Amino acid sequence: MSLLSEMIAFAKHDNHIKSVEYNFLLAVSRQLEISREDFDYLIEHPVNYIHLKTHSERIVQFHRLILLMNINGTPSAKVKVKLYNYGLRMGLNFESINKVLFLMENFPNRLVPTGVLIDIFKLQYN
């Protein structure tokens, strides 16, 4: 619930969730086995952030946020800063976050392939 609530807050950066963002978040909620009722409740009543324990969970969540950020086209600088700060708050390496944000411009639809993303974070983790 905390993960989804965080994603909803990220999508609400302009105080409105667009239908494409809503559908994406709803699909994520289904993957996380969260009911539609709980999902709709989270939109109006966010839960407190719970720090993800494993590095891989944090990378997966960061990847979801990248997908969400790019769902509406080219993200603004403000949205990129917000994503960067989320990554830092999750305890991800700042160099890895910067590299991902830089490299995503080189991929179709700015979607960094999962393998590339994992390799970037593995390099800094070691």
Side-chain angles (χ1 to χ4, degrees), residues 27-84:
V28 170
S29 74
R30 288 183 184 132
Q31 287 180 333
L32 296 172
E33 298 178 359
I34 296 172
S35 71
R36 176 72 178 258
E37 294 78 24
D38 288 342
F39 170 72
D40 288 333
Y41 181 83
L42 279 178
I43 290 177
E44 298 302 322
H45 305 93
V47 297
N48 292 332
Y49 173 75
I50 297 172
H51 188 69
L52 297 170
K53 293 180 182 172
T54 69
H55 193 250
S56 60
E57 288 174 323
R58 288 179 266 160
I59 293 170
V60 168
Q61 181 65 1
F62 187 73
H63 191 243
R64 287 182 186 132
L65 291 172
I66 290 172
L67 294 173
L68 180 61
M69 177 181 72
N70 287 306
I71 212 163
N72 288 319
T74 304
S76 68
K78 182 180 176 182
V79 172
K80 287 182 182 180
V81 167
K82 193 170 187 177
L83 177 65
Y84 178 83

Side-chain angles (χ1 to χ4, degrees), residues 67 70 103-113:
L67 294 173
N70 287 306
L103 287 177
M104 75 180 192
E105 299 302 326
N106 298 321
F107 292 101
N109 300 321
R110 291 165 307 286
L111 300 178
V112 179

